[in-house]
Structure formats: structure tokens, C-alpha cells
Amino acid sequence: MGIFPDIFTEMAVLLLFAALVGALGAHFHQPLIVAFIAVGILAGPSVLGWVSADDEVDLLAKLGISLLLFVVGLKLDLHIIRTMGPVALTVGLGQILITGILGYLIALALGMASIPALYVAVALSFSSTIIIVKLLSDRREVDTLYGRITLGILIVQDLVVVLAMISLHALASAHSGALASPEATSATHQFLNVLLKGTAFLAVVALAMRYVLPPLLHLLSRSQELLVLFGIAWAVALAATGDMLGFSKEVGAFIAGVSLASTPYRDVLGARLVSLRDFLLVFFFLDLGAGLNLGLLGAQIKPALLFSIFVLIGKPLIVLSIMGLLGYRRRTSFLSGLTLAQISEFSLILAALGHSLGHIDDETTGLITLVGLLTISASSYMIIYSHPFYDRLARFLRIFERRHPAREADQPIPIEDSVPQVILFGVGRYGVGIAHVLRERGCHVRTVSYDPQQVRTGDPMGYPVLYGDAEDPEFISTLPLDRTQWVVSTVRDNRVSQILIHSLKHHGYAGHIAVTAARIAEVAALEHLGADIVLLPFTDAVHDAADRLLGQVSPNLP
């Protein structure tokens, strides 16, 4: 029992403390991730001892992780995954191998025994999926080329972690002399077992994508509450399934998102889940900080600093070198490498596993923990300021770029190609008519509707319709506003028009806005809010008809 009378009070105090420290960090322009980890350390057993509801905090943290990877998966359709797969596999495996070898040699040079050195080397090889994806999502750079490559590398790393943990269990059994046990008889058998389970898992998900999910989502989309509830349930269910089959929860949740990424409901799902995801992730960072045992860290400061420098500088250079050889430009390679400059939360789990198996002692566990704390904190700043870092270092990075880096010219970037010139809300007769004329004149128009039936069938001209709500500010934030020239609403509802204009301005939209009014009296207020054009369907039609008639009438007639 903790110092608080019940779990609810403990949670209330933790959230208030996190909000206060987070506000303090934001005031001094510090990453919220670092602030929340600091809250976990301060509230954990090493300092104040406030955290006693470990199971509850851990459960909320796992839900947050599942939603984070689910939302990321929603942004990646199968075409992008096929495109990014080869480079992610090459860079991911190459980085793990080189980092592991160099880390092992450094550990041996510091006088460590072979087994502890191996644990340290493995721990240094992986990067934090949660930290990276959270920061990329906040910066809206998951959809960039380097963001997709980084995400692919992280998925490769997560799969390697699964194999590493299987190997450790087999090694533990062999080391204890239980060579006849199922764990030690054949690690290859375990690998094949995981592979078969994974193949079956993907096959079932693929069948669901083809035959089950489209009609089910269409049915659920009649209520956004049900749609969001299903999204959460699907993410958590596949995360739990992946965990039961021997994969990480991250991989299962990511596959859940990918399975819905090609549906027209993905943007609404992603937008509605962002706030819940961010709230639950607070518990992940609290749990991470509270799990750090500061009592083990004091004697490991010097080697931890050396390993941290290797991770913060060496890992980006390794990624730069591999991607440069593959033909990528230095900017893409640098941003991808800088993003990976920390060790993973899985590294801490591996260290705890090794300690429980008797492979490493308290000092080695403390060393890995301290490296995790230092690199996660430092890399948060590096990712946030990655573009200014590149601007300062660009001239020194030419050696990592081929003379003719043609690889990126071969990479399709559908986000750029599919950016519409006009985003049009409302697919009634008036909206469809406007979209048809604009398309006839060469404009790329993306139509958006809140009606599931229109989303399912497309508009009358055969074009696909995106599912979305003009009144949802989070959905507005998912649109490519920085490269869209016009946002048009043909919804004749003054309140909807006002909310849409406000949301667009709030998200920094600098293009043109056209909304539709039902009465002339509403025009002035909408123009004052920021509408460039206010459409009046009936009035405009009357004037157009009169102009056409006058064009056929002799001016000499009375």
C-alpha cells in the first residue's frame, strides 16, 4: 500500500504532478517526454515513492503504446510498405549488426566480461519505437520519406528483439545445464514456430481486410462513437494477439492500423484517437521513469557517458553510411540516423531479463539503465531540432552522399502526388457540380463527406469520397493544408462554416477558403471570420440565370 488512501487518489496526484511539471517544461521549451520521464523518476521508489499502483500504470501505458502504433499504422497503406520494405530491412539489419559489433568491442575494451558485454552490445543496437514515433507524430513527419524509412527500421528492430529474447531463454537453459528442456533443444525450432504463427496471423488479417473489415466499418460509420470504439478494440485485440503469438504488442497494434489504412475511415479514426493516445502515453513515460533504479547508477557514470556518446553520434553515422551507399541523399540519411540515436525501452527489458537469469549483475543493469536515460533525453532534443542541426552540418555530410544519389528519384511519394488543389466538403448536388466543373478544368479535387453511403459508393461522377467531418478540428489537422490552394464547403450550415474557418486558421492554413451560406444576412459575418468567398447557391443561380438571359436579350427592348 502506498502513501495514498486509494489508487484513484494516487492517479489524481500523479496526473496533477505531471501536468505541473509538463507546464514547467513547456515554459522553458523542454520536450514533454523528458518532463514526464522526470515525473516518473521523482514519483518513483527512488525519490518520493508515490507510485504503488504499478499494475494499473503499466496497463494504461500498454494501452497508450497500442494506440500509438495503431495510429501510425493507419497512415501506411500496403503500397508504401512494399516500397519501403527492402531499404528498411537492409538499413535495419545492417545498423543492428554494426552497432552490436562495435558496442561489443567497446565493452570488452572497458574490461567487461563477454556475456555482460554481449548484453550491452545488444541493448545499444535497438532504438525506442515509442519515443521516435511519438516525436515524429507530433512533428507530423511520419509521412515523410525519412519518417517512413525510420518506421520500417523500427519494425525490423522489434522483430529482431523477439528473436533475441527467444535466444536468451535458450541460452539460459543451456547455461543452467538443462539441455534436454524444450527451451534449449532447438532455438531454430522456436524461430520456425514464431515464423509460422506470424504467417498465419498475417493471413487471417489479410482475409479480414478483404472480406470483413470494409462492410463492418461501413456499418459502424453510421455512429462515430462506435467507429472509434471499434478502432480501439481492434488495436488492443491485435496487440494482445501479437503478444500471445510471441511478437511484441507494438507489431500487433501496427498491423491493426495497417489493416485499416486503405479504408476511407482512417483519417477520422486517427484524428479522434490522438488525444486519447497522448493521454495514455503519459502513463508510459511515468512508468518508464518510475522503473529506473537510481541506486544502481552512481558507479557507472563514466562508461555510461562513453556508450551514450557512441549511441548519440555513432548510430547516426552508421545509418548515414548505409543509406549513402544505397543512394539516398544526405538529408534523408541524416534525419533517419538522428532519429535512431537512443536505446530502446526493450533494451531495459532485456537488461532486466538478463539480470533475472543471472547473466549480468546490478552494475551492468545500472549501466544500461543510465545509458537509456541519457540517450532518450538527449535524442528528444536532437529529433526536435533535427532540421536546424542538418542546416549547420550539411556541408560536412557530403562524404555520405553519392555523386549522383538517384535512389530517392525512384521512390514514389504518394502523399506529394495526391495533394489536392481543392478540398471540398459536401457531396450533394451543388458540391458534386462544383467538383465536376473544377475537374473538367484540370483541378485536382478531393471531396469529403460525413455520409457513410457516399463514402461507400463514391460521388455520382465515380470519384472516391473521403470520410470526414468539417466540424472536427482534429480531422482538419490531418489534411494536407500546407499544399492545398482552396478549402471549399458546400454545407449550408452557418455553425459548420464558422467552425471550419476557425479550425483552418488555428492550424495555420494560408490558402483560400470558400464556404456556403443559406441567407444573405450570414455573408458579412463569414467574410469577417476569414472566408475569401461566401457562396449563395440560390442567389448565385438567380444572378447567373439573369446574366445568361440578358446576354440573349436585345438592349433596345423596353
Side-chain angles (χ1 to χ4, degrees):
M1 188 69 182
I3 64 173
F4 300 104
D6 53 54
I7 293 175
F8 188 83
T9 304
E10 179 180 323
M11 290 293 184
V13 172
L14 285 175
L15 289 173
L16 283 173
F17 191 36
L20 291 174
V21 176
L24 187 64
H27 177 73
F28 289 103
H29 306 287
Q30 305 305 306
L32 285 179
I33 286 175
V34 176
F36 292 148
I37 293 175
V39 170
I41 294 173
L42 293 173
S46 298
V47 184
L48 297 174
W50 287 357
V51 179
S52 62
D54 298 322
D55 293 339
E56 290 78 5
V57 172
D58 182 62
L59 173 60
L60 293 172
K62 289 175 180 176
L63 289 173
I65 293 169
S66 298
L67 289 184
L68 174 67
L69 272 297
F70 175 70
V71 171
V72 171
L74 284 172
K75 297 178 179 292
L76 298 178
D77 58 33
L78 294 178
H79 173 72
I80 296 173
I81 292 176
R82 285 193 297 266
T83 304
M84 294 294 105
V87 63
L89 192 62
T90 303
V91 179
L93 294 179
Q95 178 268 315
I96 291 172
L97 182 63
I98 297 173
T99 303
I101 292 173
L102 294 178
Y104 182 72
L105 294 176
I106 293 172
L108 290 179
L110 291 175
M112 299 181 66
S114 59
I115 295 297
L118 180 61
Y119 268 89
V120 170
V122 172
L124 298 180
S125 301
F126 303 116
S127 303
S128 174
T129 301
I130 312 304
I131 303 294
I132 294 170
V133 171
K134 177 67 170 68
L135 290 172
L136 289 180
S137 298
D138 290 345
R139 293 167 60 82
R140 298 181 185 174
E141 293 185 349
V142 172
D143 288 326
T144 61
L145 177 59
Y146 94 88
R148 293 173 185 162
I149 293 173
T150 301
L151 185 62
I153 294 171
L154 292 172
I155 296 301
V156 170
Q157 288 188 359
D158 284 348
L159 293 175
V160 173
V161 165
V162 173
L163 301 180
M165 297 185 85
I166 292 174
S167 300
L168 285 175
H169 282 293
L171 181 62
S173 298
H175 184 69
S176 64
L179 296 177
S181 66
E183 293 80 6
T185 52
S186 176
T188 303
H189 174 72
Q190 295 183 52
F191 296 157
L192 292 175
N193 188 33
V194 171
L195 181 61
L196 290 174
K197 288 180 180 178
T199 302
F201 179 47
L202 291 176
V204 171
V205 173
L207 289 173
M209 290 172 62
R210 177 67 177 86
Y211 299 106
V212 179
L213 292 175
L216 179 61
L217 288 172
H218 173 64
L219 177 65
L220 295 173
S221 64
R222 298 172 184 175
S223 167
Q224 283 205 7
E225 289 79 7
L226 279 177
L227 188 64
V228 171
L229 177 60
F230 172 75
I232 297 171
W234 186 242
V236 176
L238 263 63
T241 303
D243 191 47
M244 287 188 296
L245 293 177
F247 305 108
S248 65
K249 296 178 182 65
E250 287 83 353
V251 172
F254 176 77
I255 291 173
V258 171
S259 68
L260 304 182
S262 53
T263 69
Y265 307 101
R266 68 173 191 172
D267 291 325
V268 167
L269 271 172
R272 289 297 178 96
L273 291 175
V274 165
S275 297
L276 178 60
R277 175 204 70 184
D278 290 343
F279 169 71
L280 291 174
L281 279 176
V282 171
F283 292 97
F284 168 77
F285 299 119
L286 292 177
D287 191 42
L288 180 62
L292 298 176
N293 189 345
L294 301 184
L296 302 175
L297 307 184
Q300 302 296 329
I301 292 178
K302 288 184 179 180
L305 286 174
L306 179 60
F307 283 120
S308 296
I309 292 171
F310 170 65
V311 170
L312 294 169
I313 299 177
K315 284 177 73 171
L317 290 177
I318 292 169
V319 174
L320 261 168
S321 302
I322 298 173
M323 291 185 64
L325 290 174
L326 292 175
Y328 284 92
R329 298 185 184 279
R330 51 186 160 158
R331 183 178 185 276
T332 303
S333 304
F334 176 82
L335 294 176
S336 298
L338 201 68
T339 305
L340 299 170
Q342 77 287 119
I343 71 171
S344 172
E345 59 280 355
F346 280 120
S347 302
L348 306 181
I349 295 172
L350 283 171
L353 176 61
H355 185 270
S356 66
L357 296 173
H359 293 168
I360 59 177
D361 54 18
D362 290 344
E363 286 72 20
T364 306
T365 304
L367 172 63
I368 296 173
T369 300
L370 186 53
V371 172
L373 181 61
L374 292 174
T375 56
I376 288 173
S377 300
S379 69
S380 298
Y381 293 94
M382 293 167 65
I383 295 172
I384 290 173
Y385 299 106
S386 57
H387 295 287
F389 280 151
Y390 174 77
D391 293 338
R392 290 174 177 267
L393 299 174
R395 65 181 183 274
F396 303 111
L397 303 175
R398 291 191 180 94
I399 60 173
F400 297 102
E401 184 179 82
R402 287 185 180 180
R403 181 171 299 179
H404 301 291
R407 182 63 178 262
E408 292 186 29
D410 300 331
Q411 297 287 352
I413 307 180
I415 293 297
E416 295 289 341
D417 296 340
S418 64
V419 170
Q421 296 167 286
V422 180
I423 297 175
L424 190 146
F425 288 87
V427 195
R429 291 183 180 179
Y430 188 55
V432 168
I434 292 176
H436 177 62
V437 174
L438 290 175
R439 285 168 177 147
E440 280 188 333
R441 299 182 182 181
C443 290
H444 182 189
V445 182
R446 180 176 298 172
T447 51
V448 184
S449 176
Y450 188 53
D451 184 350
Q453 184 60 33
Q454 290 176 333
V455 173
R456 184 180 186 182
T457 60
D459 68 23
M461 307 305 299
Y463 288 92
V465 177
L466 182 66
Y467 183 74
D469 187 355
E471 297 182 73
D472 186 353
E474 293 294 340
F475 172 74
I476 300 301
S477 69
T478 67
L479 299 173
L481 299 177
D482 55 333
R483 299 180 298 278
T484 298
Q485 299 175 24
W486 277 94
V487 174
V488 181
S489 172
T490 60
V491 180
R492 290 194 294 270
D493 186 316
N494 190 54
R495 184 178 62 85
V496 173
S497 298
Q498 291 180 3
I499 293 174
L500 177 61
I501 295 171
H502 176 76
S503 297
L504 291 170
K505 297 295 183 182
H506 175 72
H507 291 294
Y509 176 61
H512 302 291
I513 302 172
V515 294
T516 304
R519 297 183 298 275
I520 296 178
E522 299 171 352
V523 173
L526 293 173
E527 289 178 339
H528 178 72
L529 284 176
D532 296 285
I533 294 177
V534 179
L535 303 171
L536 290 162
F538 297 113
T539 304
D540 293 342
V542 167
H543 286 292
D544 181 62
D547 290 339
R548 293 177 63 188
L549 289 171
L550 287 173
Q552 302 298 322
V553 175
S554 171
N556 297 322
L557 290 177

